[in-house]
C-alpha cells in the first residue's frame, strides 16, 4: 500500500500541475516510454472517477506518436544505418508503429533490435543484489546486437534505463528520438557523423 499511496500522491500532484493545460485541451508529449505508459495505463486505474486522468490517458503521446499524427516531415534527410531498441513499455503498451513511420521519414536505414528487455527494467538493474540478473538479461540479446553494430551505426533508445544499460555495458551512447531528429535540423549529412 505504501508505494500505491506514494504513486497516487505524486500522480495527483502531476494532475494538479497539468490542470490548466488539460483545461486548455493541450496534449502531453513525452520521450520516456515508462512515463507515457503510466499516464495511459496506471493513472486512470488509480483515479477512475477523475476526468483529468481520463483526459491524460487519451491525450498523452510519445514524441513519435505525436509527430506521426501531425504528419511531421523532417527538414533534412539523414542517412546511414540505425539500430533501434524499444523500451519494454514502448513495445508493450504503445507499440512501435508510429516510431517506425517517423524514422522512415528521416531517411535512416533502421532496424529494431527485437531484443526484449534491456535488463535494467527501470530501477531494477540499479539494485546491487539484482545487478547480475540485469546483466544476464542484457547479454541474452541486446548487448550482443549493440556490440555487433559497427561504429557507424546510430543507436537509438528512448528509454533512459535502456540507454544507461547500453552505455554502462558497451561504452556506446544511444540517442533518443528527439536527439536523432535534431540531427536533421542541422548540417549533419549522415547519422554516423
Amino acid at each position: 500500500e505504501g508505494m500505491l499511496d506514494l504513486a497516487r500522491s505524486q500522480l495527483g500532484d502531476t494532475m494538479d500541475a497539468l490542470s490548466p493545460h488539460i483545461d486548455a485541451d493541450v496534449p502531453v508529449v513525452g520521450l520516456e516510454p515508462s512515463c507515457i505508459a503510466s499516464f495511459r495505463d496506471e493513472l486512470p486505474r488509480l483515479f477512475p472517477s477523475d476526468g483529468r486522468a481520463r483526459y491524460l490517458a487519451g491525450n498523452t503521446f510519445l514524441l513519435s506518436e505525436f509527430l506521426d499524427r501531425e504528419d511531421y516531415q523532417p527538414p533534412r534527410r539523414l542517412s546511414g544505418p540505425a539500430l533501434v531498441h524499444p523500451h519494454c513499455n514502448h513495445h508493450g503498451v504503445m507499440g512501435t508503429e508510429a516510431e517506425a513511420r517517423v524514422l522512415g521519414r528521416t531517411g535512416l536505414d533502421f532496424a529494431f533490435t527485437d531484443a526484449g528487455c534491456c535488463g535494467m527494467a527501470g530501477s531494477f538493474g540499479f539494485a546491487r543484489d539484482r545487478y547480475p540478473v540485469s546483466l544476464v538479461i542484457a547479454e541474452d540479446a541486446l548487448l550482443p546486437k549493440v556490440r555487433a553494430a559497427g561504429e557507424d551505426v546510430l543507436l537509438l533508445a528512448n528509454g533512459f534505463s535502456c540507454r544507461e544499460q547500453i552505455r554502462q555495458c558497451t561504452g556506446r551512447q544511444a540517442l533518443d528520438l528527439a536527439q536523432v531528429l535534431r540531427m536533421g535540423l542541422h548540417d549533419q549529412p549522415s547519422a554516423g557523423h
Side-chain angles (χ1 to χ4, degrees), residues 11-148:
L11 287 170
D13 291 347
T14 300
M15 287 193 298
D16 290 345
L18 292 175
S19 282
H21 306 290
I22 293 169
D23 293 342
D25 196 24
V26 176
V28 174
V29 179
L31 292 171
E32 176 60 46
S34 59
C35 294
I36 303 303
S38 70
F39 275 34
R40 286 194 186 167
D41 190 36
E42 294 150 16
L43 193 62
R45 287 192 286 165
L46 289 172
F47 298 92
S49 61
D50 193 322
R52 300 174 306 170
R54 286 191 302 279
Y55 176 86
L56 289 170
N59 291 285
T60 300
F61 305 95
L62 280 173
L63 178 61
S64 58
E65 293 174 319
F66 185 77
L67 293 176
D68 185 48
R69 187 179 85 157
E70 298 296 315
D71 196 31
Y72 173 77
Q73 300 297 324
R76 290 189 188 91
R77 303 276 291 172
L78 297 172
S79 64
L83 184 63
V84 182
H85 181 69
H87 185 284
C88 291
N89 283 322
H90 190 164
H91 186 267
V93 176
M94 284 76 83
T96 57
E97 296 81 9
E99 192 93 2
R101 286 189 294 270
V102 170
L103 285 171
R105 295 175 195 147
T106 67
L108 290 171
D109 180 18
F110 70 94
F112 287 98
T113 60
D114 296 323
C117 183
C118 71
M120 191 68 78
S123 63
F124 176 88
F126 284 106
R128 184 183 308 269
D129 60 329
R130 294 187 296 242
Y131 180 71
V133 174
S134 171
L135 291 182
V136 168
I137 294 167
E139 290 292 354
D140 181 56
L142 174 60
L143 296 180
K145 288 182 180 202
V146 169
R147 289 185 190 108

Side-chain angles (χ1 to χ4, degrees), residues 169-183:
C169 295
T170 69
R172 299 277 308 267
Q173 183 64 50
L175 304 176
D176 64 39
L177 179 62
Q179 292 170 307
V180 170
L181 294 176
R182 185 173 184 260
M183 293 168 63

